[in-house]
Amino acid sequence: GNSVTQMEGPVTLSEEAFLTINCTYTATGYPSLFWYVQYPGEGLQLLLKATKADDKGSNKGFEATYRKETTSFHLEKGSVQVSDSAVYFCALMTNAGKSTFGDGTTLTVKP
Amino acid sequence: NAGVTQTPKFQVLKTGQSMTLQCAQDMNHEYMSWYRQDPGMGLRLIHYSVGAGITDQGEVPNGYNVSRSTTEDFPLRLLSAAPSQTSVYFCASRLEGGRSYNEQFFGPGTRLTVL
């Protein structure tokens, strides 16, 4: 079946540090890939997405590139802020509409 | 638009009790789903629906029932609550139509504790 493997957390960084959260996937065909963010006490919300190989999704300074050759979709941000503290989920959706989520990575940014 | 709404936000049940978690969306989305979120396990799909009158099982359906009588509402019923059902439950919706790039919209969640 399909699977999404995320870098284990928690991740703690100082403000303005560089962030990478690794995500790799296993799926048949050509899924779409997503990063969702969950702030404390809230539901998940879409951060960015990519629908085909070599696409780059970006939003709020975060970026991720769909790498089919390495089946990866790593999330990066050049300079994190305290307000970026949240749980980040990598997810895929197949052409049949089935979603699979990673386990989530908790990010804490300290001032 | 209110988006996806869920009630209640918190609930405590005793083992064996039944209850219904409510979910509604006002975006005219065909696809609705229920997930449970447990520590270190990400989100797991319980049940989903691709339109009114159509429901199907997800990854962890045992102990839960759903129905979809309208496009807007997708309630989740716990038939006889067990401590293993202690979790945070999220309802989500999205457009259907075979587009794999449609994002899901999530409700704020219901935190359920079964004693």
Side-chain angles (χ1 to χ4, degrees), chain B residues 5-43:
Chain B
T5 58
Q6 291 183 238
T7 55
K9 285 188 74 77
F10 301 94
Q11 183 71 49
V12 178
L13 293 177
K14 294 181 180 178
T15 297
Q17 287 185 315
S18 62
M19 79 158 295
T20 299
L21 280 62
Q22 301 292 344
C23 173
Q25 53 90 13
D26 61 358
M27 298 173 281
N28 206 30
H29 286 169
E30 302 95 338
Y31 184 96
M32 296 185 74
S33 55
W34 277 101
Y35 294 89
R36 58 178 291 172
Q37 183 182 30
D38 301 295
M41 299 187 75
L43 276 73

Side-chain angles (χ1 to χ4, degrees), chain A residues 4-13 18-24 35 73-75 88 90 102-107:
Chain A
V4 175
T5 302
Q6 280 184 238
M7 164 180 171
E8 287 189 23
V11 175
T12 302
L13 295 173
F18 185 86
L19 168 71
T20 300
I21 301 178
N22 290 338
C23 172
T24 57
W35 276 101
F73 193 54
H74 305 322
L75 182 68
Y88 293 82
C90 185
D103 290 346
T105 301
T106 300
L107 171 66

Side-chain angles (χ1 to χ4, degrees), chain A residues 30-32 34 36 38 41-46 49 51 87 89 93-99 101-104, chain B residues 9 31 35 37-38 40-43 45 48 88 90 94 96 98-109 111:
Chain A
Y30 301 92
S32 292
F34 304 81
Y36 286 86
Q38 182 182 30
E42 299 183 8
L44 281 70
Q45 54 187 275
L46 181 68
K49 66 183 181 186
T51 60
V87 182
F89 291 89
M93 185 183 297
T94 67
N95 290 334
K98 297 202 76 170
S99 290
F101 288 81
D103 290 346
Chain B
K9 285 188 74 77
Y31 184 96
Y35 294 89
Q37 183 182 30
D38 301 295
M41 299 187 75
L43 276 73
L45 182 64
Y48 66 96
V88 181
F90 288 101
R94 64 172 172 80
E96 187 49 13
R99 294 184 179 179
S100 66
Y101 51 84
N102 287 326
E103 69 172 284
Q104 296 197 74
F105 293 81
F106 286 83
R111 187 173 296 273

Side-chain angles (χ1 to χ4, degrees), chain B residues 19-98:
Chain B
M19 79 158 295
T20 299
L21 280 62
Q22 301 292 344
C23 173
Q25 53 90 13
D26 61 358
M27 298 173 281
N28 206 30
H29 286 169
E30 302 95 338
Y31 184 96
M32 296 185 74
S33 55
W34 277 101
Y35 294 89
R36 58 178 291 172
Q37 183 182 30
D38 301 295
M41 299 187 75
L43 276 73
R44 291 184 291 169
L45 182 64
I46 304 171
H47 285 286
Y48 66 96
S49 168
V50 298
I54 306 169
T55 63
D56 206 346
Q57 295 181 351
E59 183 185 351
V60 288
N62 292 341
Y64 307 94
N65 269 0
V66 291
S67 59
R68 183 99 179 267
S69 56
T70 66
T71 299
E72 294 78 20
D73 300 299
F74 190 44
L76 177 72
R77 295 183 190 83
L78 279 69
L79 308 172
S80 176
S84 60
Q85 293 179 303
T86 294
S87 188
V88 181
Y89 291 84
F90 288 101
C91 179
S93 74
R94 64 172 172 80
L95 291 169
E96 187 49 13

